[in-house]
Amino acid sequence: MKRIALFVVLALFMALGGCARYAELPPGTDMAITSAIVEQQEVVVPPPAAEEKSQEYRVGPGDVLAINIPGMTSRTMATEPQNQGFRVYTSGKILLPMVGGVVVGGLTVDQVQEKLQTIFRPFIKEPVITVEILEYKSQPLYLIGKFNKPEVQYLDRPITLIQGIALGGGLQDNANLRGARLVRENRILPVDIYELMYNNDLRQNIVLRPGDTIYVPGNDQQNVFVLGAVTKEGPIPMLNGRLSLPQALSSAGFGQTSYDPAHVRIIRSFSPTRGELIVVDFRRIMAGEALPLALRDGDVVYVPPSAMGDWNQALKELLPTLQTFGAILQPFVQVKYLTDSNN
């Protein structure tokens, strides 16, 4: 058992910056120092994302079609590239000679051909119409963050998550895949990009949808969040990727209002699909009986204003504040606690 002299204990309290009350120790005290006391740990795993099957490409607004109707004047692939094709309007229509507007949005290429053959049959006997997609512009995929080529890509076929990441030209050296997320319709999906890329977990390799966003943050954007009975709620930056629980609480103004130091709670994210709930008895750290707990990127530290029961009560009190900071919290917190199905 490691022992430490009084002057080292006092140095620990000085590092707290006067953020909390602690018991005085008489001169000459020699006491055992253990790891920080963790009263409760619970691993939490949200349900996996639903599997989807690849579907044939469907025409949408912004796409440009090359349509060849023999015997009629048309813009086809024989014309100059900048002038060719029929663009699909936001209404899903294209404008064609003689028949005017035709709705093609939501149809496959084969279905567009069949529809045009039916429409032009009164004008052309047994029309043989060919349709091709010249420009794919209706199904965007947004690649944001630490990609070598962060940009909007337009899908020309159904692709998987790993194929979508490859469209970004690879990842930069400081990419933080543990914080990477797949956003669909303003929700983060429970997909672990780290496990997919580093451990070849193909269960995470889901089929993408048009409008999906893949966001990969950098390791230089590491924070923890201190909420509850502190004077300044919000993110605390991790300098050089390191921050202890006493340092975080000191920065947030811990100890200046009423609080319950015996049940400081931490929501820890391992990935978008796995996290941990921790309860720490901070009194032992303040008393010099335990070493400071090292925090991790994305930790949410909650200091309850008074003694409380279980995690369900803590999360009920914490939820409004989590919603306030929801956009910048780790994916696991958003997936598990900030979706409609969990509220």
Side-chain angles (χ1 to χ4, degrees):
M1 180 72 67
K2 181 179 179 181
R3 294 184 173 273
I4 187 167
L6 175 61
F7 72 94
V8 179
V9 176
L10 294 178
L12 168 62
F13 293 135
M14 293 175 63
L16 300 181
C19 70
R21 297 182 292 272
Y22 59 89
E24 293 287 352
L25 299 175
T29 299
D30 187 5
M31 65 190 309
I33 301 296
T34 64
S35 59
I37 181 65
V38 176
E39 291 191 342
Q40 177 185 349
Q41 286 182 282
E42 176 186 353
V43 176
V44 180
V45 181
E51 294 186 7
E52 298 186 21
K53 295 182 179 180
S54 298
Q55 297 182 349
E56 189 175 352
Y57 188 91
R58 294 183 179 272
V59 173
D63 288 341
V64 178
L65 307 182
I67 302 175
N68 186 15
I69 308 173
M72 299 189 65
T73 301
S74 64
R75 289 170 287 178
T76 68
M77 295 181 66
T79 61
E80 292 298 322
Q82 62 268 27
N83 297 320
Q84 66 187 354
F86 296 87
R87 187 170 297 277
V88 182
Y89 294 95
T90 54
S91 62
K93 292 182 178 181
I94 53 175
L95 294 179
L96 295 174
M98 298 187 66
V99 297
V102 178
V103 176
V104 297
L107 303 179
T108 66
V109 171
D110 288 342
Q111 290 171 337
V112 173
Q113 288 184 169
E114 293 173 0
K115 184 171 186 176
L116 294 183
Q117 286 172 351
T118 300
I119 291 174
F120 279 94
R121 189 163 285 118
F123 307 100
I124 303 174
K125 184 178 180 180
E126 299 298 330
V128 178
I129 299 173
T130 59
V131 177
E132 295 182 55
I133 300 178
L134 296 180
E135 295 183 22
Y136 295 86
K137 293 292 185 181
S138 68
Q139 300 190 8
L141 172 66
Y142 303 96
L143 305 177
I144 301 175
K146 299 302 181 178
F147 290 94
N148 288 323
K149 295 191 300 182
E151 58 188 3
V152 180
Q153 294 281 350
Y154 291 95
L155 306 180
D156 60 0
R157 63 191 183 282
I159 66 172
T160 63
L161 175 56
I162 199 167
Q163 291 171 325
I165 294 173
L167 291 177
L171 299 170
Q172 299 178 18
D173 291 340
N174 63 338
N176 177 11
L177 284 184
R178 292 195 182 277
R181 61 205 70 180
L182 173 61
V183 182
R184 176 175 295 167
E185 298 178 352
N186 296 320
R187 287 190 176 189
I188 295 177
L189 298 189
V191 176
D192 193 333
I193 296 178
Y194 179 92
E195 287 295 314
L196 172 62
M197 299 296 292
Y198 283 101
N199 295 322
N200 197 33
D201 184 355
L202 296 182
R203 295 173 300 177
Q204 315 298 329
N205 195 29
I206 68 172
V207 177
L208 298 177
R209 289 184 188 175
D212 282 354
T213 298
I214 304 175
Y215 171 63
V216 181
N219 286 319
D220 54 341
Q221 303 167 0
Q222 297 187 23
N223 297 286
V224 301
F225 298 83
V226 180
L227 310 175
V230 293
T231 58
K232 186 180 69 174
E233 291 186 307
I236 306 294
M238 301 183 71
L239 299 180
N240 298 319
R242 295 182 179 181
L243 190 70
S244 69
L245 180 58
Q247 289 171 330
L249 294 180
S250 175
S251 297
F254 171 74
Q256 300 178 26
T257 61
S258 61
Y259 63 98
D260 175 22
H263 299 92
V264 174
R265 298 174 185 267
I266 300 173
I267 303 175
R268 173 161 294 171
S269 301
F270 298 130
S271 73
T273 64
R274 194 165 62 95
E276 186 176 45
L277 305 179
I278 305 171
V279 179
V280 177
D281 186 350
F282 193 67
R283 297 172 304 178
R284 293 193 58 185
I285 298 177
M286 292 190 295
E289 298 175 359
L291 294 175
L293 177 69
L295 298 176
R296 297 184 183 181
D297 178 33
D299 278 356
V300 176
V301 179
Y302 176 57
V303 182
S306 58
M308 62 172 53
D310 58 15
W311 262 104
N312 289 331
Q313 181 184 351
L315 289 169
K316 184 177 180 180
E317 294 187 9
L318 188 55
L319 185 59
T321 310
L322 288 180
Q323 292 170 332
T324 301
F325 294 99
I328 55 176
L329 294 176
Q330 282 284 65
F332 167 78
V333 179
Q334 300 183 44
V335 169
K336 179 61 180 176
Y337 303 112
L338 300 182
T339 59
D340 292 343
S341 60
N342 289 303
N343 288 342

